[in-house]
Amino acid sequence: MARNNFPDRVFVTGTDSGIGKTTVSAILMAGLPNSGYWKPVQSGTEDVTDSQWVRRMTGLPETRFYPETYRLKAPLPPHASAAMENVTIDLEKFWVPYLGSLERLIVEGVGGVMVPLNEQHFVLDLMKRLNYPVILVCRNGRGAINHTLLTLEQLRNQGLNILGVVLNGPPIASNRQAIERYGKVQVMAELPVLETINPHTLARAYKDHFHLE
Ligand SMILES: Nc1ncnc2c1ncn2[C@@H]1O[C@H](COP(=O)(O)OP(=O)(O)OP(=O)(O)O)[C@@H](O)[C@H]1O
Ligand SMILES: [Mg+2]
C-alpha cells in the first residue's frame, strides 16, 4: 500500500472481540514508518495490555505509544469494568492526541462498535467523536459476510468514513467478492495466520497483504 494513500489517523475496529484488531494495529505500526498507537480504553490490565503487546511485538520505542485514557482492571465490557471501580467513562475525556513529530496515528477500539462505554454511549459514539476513517477487521470464515455487512451499515448510518475491511484468517472463496459487492467497500487485506509474530513478519505482512487503491 502506498504510504501517501494512507490517512494520518485511523480507527481500527472489529466485528467482535478477539478478532485481530491488535494484530492489524501492530502490522500497521510495523509497516507505516513513524506511526503512533493509542488504545483509548483498555479493559483488563492484569494480562498484557494491547499497548504493551503492540510494543513488544513491533519492538518500537515507548515514544510511539500514547497512554490509555481509561485503564480498567477487570476484563469485562468497559461499562461493567468501569462500574466495578466506581468510574463512569466520559466521552469528553477523550482528547485528540497531538501527533508532534509522528506522521500518523493508529487508534484501536474495544470489542465491536456496539460495546457500551457507559449508560448512554457505545464505542460507536467514541468513533463519531474522533471521526477518523475506519478499518474494520473481520474473521474470514463462515458468518463473515453477515457480521461485516451489519457493522458497515451501522458505521455508515452514523456518517463514519470507511477506509476498508481486513479479512483475517484462512480465506474462504467468494467472501472477499461478496463483501466488496454488497458492502460497497474495499477489502484492503486478506491476512493469513502469521506463524510467528515479530517486527520482521509484521512489516512483511503489511507489504505483502495490505493494498489501498
Ligand atoms: N493473522 C493472525 N495471525 C496470527 N495470530 C493472529 C492473527 N490474528 C489474530 N491473531 C491472534 O489471535 C488473538 C486475538 O487477536 P487480537 O488480540 O489481535 O484481537 P483483538 O480484536 O485486538 O482482541 P480484543 O478485543 O481483546 O482487543 C491474539 O493472540 C493474536 O495474536
Ligand atoms: Mg485488541
Side-chain angles (χ1 to χ4, degrees):
M1 186 192 299
R3 273 176 58 190
N4 32 8
N5 275 355
F6 205 94
D8 60 2
R9 291 157 201 262
V10 290
F11 194 105
V12 180
T13 189
T15 52
D16 201 353
S17 293
I19 204 90
K21 297 182 298 293
T22 307
T23 309
V24 167
S25 300
I27 290 172
L28 298 176
M29 288 290 287
L32 293 161
N34 218 9
S35 303
Y37 172 89
W38 180 37
K39 175 94 179 177
V41 180
Q42 175 67 45
S43 210
T45 53
E46 302 271 85
D47 287 337
V48 179
T49 64
D50 282 1
S51 207
Q52 286 165 342
W53 193 88
V54 174
R55 199 176 156 205
R56 244 175 241 178
M57 295 303 158
T58 58
L60 290 168
E62 201 177 345
T63 48
R64 301 279 206 95
F65 294 83
Y66 290 81
E68 298 93 341
T69 310
Y70 289 93
R71 285 174 60 90
L72 306 162
K73 199 168 171 190
L76 297 172
H79 75 290
S81 48
M84 286 183 75
E85 298 177 28
N86 287 320
V87 168
T88 303
I89 295 178
D90 178 359
L91 280 196
E92 303 287 318
K93 293 266 165 66
F94 296 99
W95 41 267
V96 174
Y98 176 62
L99 279 187
S101 61
L102 298 180
E103 279 175 61
R104 50 179 78 70
L105 180 69
I106 315 297
V107 184
E108 180 182 341
V110 197
V113 301
M114 293 309 291
V115 165
L117 294 178
N118 57 33
E119 292 283 315
Q120 292 89 32
H121 299 117
F122 298 90
V123 170
L124 193 58
D125 296 296
L126 169 61
M127 295 171 78
K128 274 164 67 180
R129 179 178 163 88
L130 296 171
N131 201 24
Y132 301 156
V134 176
I135 294 177
L136 175 62
V137 184
C138 316
R139 189 173 293 113
N140 200 359
R142 289 178 65 212
I145 300 173
N146 179 53
H147 292 152
T148 307
L149 298 186
L150 281 170
T151 303
L152 288 173
E153 183 169 352
Q154 187 69 300
L155 290 168
R156 290 211 175 98
N157 282 343
Q158 300 298 324
L160 283 156
N161 175 15
I162 297 147
L163 185 66
V165 164
V166 175
L167 288 174
N168 189 15
I172 286 210
S174 79
N175 262 2
R176 178 193 191 119
Q177 216 184 5
I179 286 167
E180 288 191 329
R181 176 168 169 211
Y182 297 105
K184 298 180 180 56
V185 74
Q186 193 185 150
V187 171
M188 61 195 288
E190 279 188 281
L191 183 63
V193 176
L194 305 176
E195 296 299 330
T196 42
I197 299 185
N198 60 42
H200 174 74
T201 59
L202 290 170
R204 189 80 235 171
Y206 179 79
K207 224 167 162 234
D208 289 349
H209 302 293
F210 282 68
H211 308 278
L212 197 61
E213 276 153 26

